């Protein structure tokens, strides 16, 4: 066992600088999309597959080239319809998103106007109104009747 004197002046000292600290911030943006178009495309694709299988397995006689071409044409038409439905669903989702954004903008505008109205100083309109006092003719005879509109004096 060796002994090292910590107060020995001949002992070498090593200074280690600490490593710099880096922080990283990530931001996640969640975008909600409509899946309606994909559902429609999936359902239509399933129907196309079922139709093609029905065509292939329902006939017992050998198929001719014309029948195969007709089945391929029907399958291509069904696929085109499925793609068209998917695009229509995406367009509808985009239009719904635009309407939501417009509604949010209108709500924010209304809130801003309400806040501006609360912050504005009230407007005071002053004007001079002339006072006209008419005295009725004194009553002759009878008893005096006092009403809230009768001048007291």
């Amino acid at each position: 066992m060796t002994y090292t004197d910590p107060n020995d002046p001949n002992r070498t000292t090593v200074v280690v600088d600490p490593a710099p600290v880096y922080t990283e911030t990530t931001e996640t943006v969640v975008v909600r999309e409509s899946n309606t178009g994909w559902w429609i495309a999936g359902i239509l694709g399933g129907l196309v597959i079922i139709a093609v299988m029905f065509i292939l397995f329902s006939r017992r006689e050998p198929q001719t080239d014309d029948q195969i071409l007709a089945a391929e044409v029907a399958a291509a038409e069904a696929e085109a319809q499925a793609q068209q439905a998917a695009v229509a669903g995406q367009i509808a989702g985009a239009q719904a998103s635009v309407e939501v954004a417009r509604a949010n903008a209108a709500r924010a505008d209304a809130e801003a106007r309400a806040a501006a109205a609360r912050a504005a100083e009230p407007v005071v309109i002053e004007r001079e109104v002339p006072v006209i006092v008419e005295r009725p003719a004194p009553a002759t005879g009878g008893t005096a009747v006092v009403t809230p509109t009768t001048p007291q004096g």
Side-chain angles (χ1 to χ4, degrees), residues 6-83:
N7 295 326
D8 185 15
N10 293 331
R11 184 171 171 216
T12 59
T13 306
V14 178
V15 177
V16 179
D17 289 332
V21 177
Y22 296 102
T23 60
E24 183 176 322
T25 304
T26 59
E27 182 176 331
T28 303
V29 178
V30 177
V31 178
R32 295 179 188 233
E33 296 180 9
S34 174
N35 293 330
T36 307
W38 291 110
W39 278 100
I40 293 171
I43 291 170
L44 287 176
L47 291 174
V48 167
I49 291 172
I50 291 171
V52 170
M53 290 177 64
F54 177 77
I55 291 171
L56 291 176
F57 293 112
S58 67
R59 305 199 178 207
R60 303 216 184 257
E61 61 190 39
Q63 293 186 351
T64 61
D65 289 335
D66 293 336
Q67 292 171 337
I68 292 173
L69 287 175
E72 288 176 352
V73 168
E77 287 176 353
E79 184 178 349
Q81 289 175 352
Q83 289 177 350

Side-chain angles (χ1 to χ4, degrees), residues 38-152:
W38 291 110
W39 278 100
I40 293 171
I43 291 170
L44 287 176
L47 291 174
V48 167
I49 291 172
I50 291 171
V52 170
M53 290 177 64
F54 177 77
I55 291 171
L56 291 176
F57 293 112
S58 67
R59 305 199 178 207
R60 303 216 184 257
E61 61 190 39
Q63 293 186 351
T64 61
D65 289 335
D66 293 336
Q67 292 171 337
I68 292 173
L69 287 175
E72 288 176 352
V73 168
E77 287 176 353
E79 184 178 349
Q81 289 175 352
Q83 289 177 350
Q84 186 178 19
V87 170
Q90 290 174 349
I91 290 172
Q95 288 174 345
S97 296
V98 168
E99 292 302 321
V100 168
R102 284 183 182 160
N104 287 340
R107 181 183 47 81
D109 185 43
E111 289 175 358
R113 287 184 184 186
R118 284 190 295 270
E121 292 187 27
V123 177
V124 178
I125 300 174
E126 294 183 9
R127 61 182 175 164
E128 293 184 22
V129 179
V131 179
I132 301 174
V133 178
E134 293 183 16
R135 298 192 179 248
T140 56
T143 58
V145 178
V146 179
T147 62
T149 58
T150 304
Q152 304 293 318

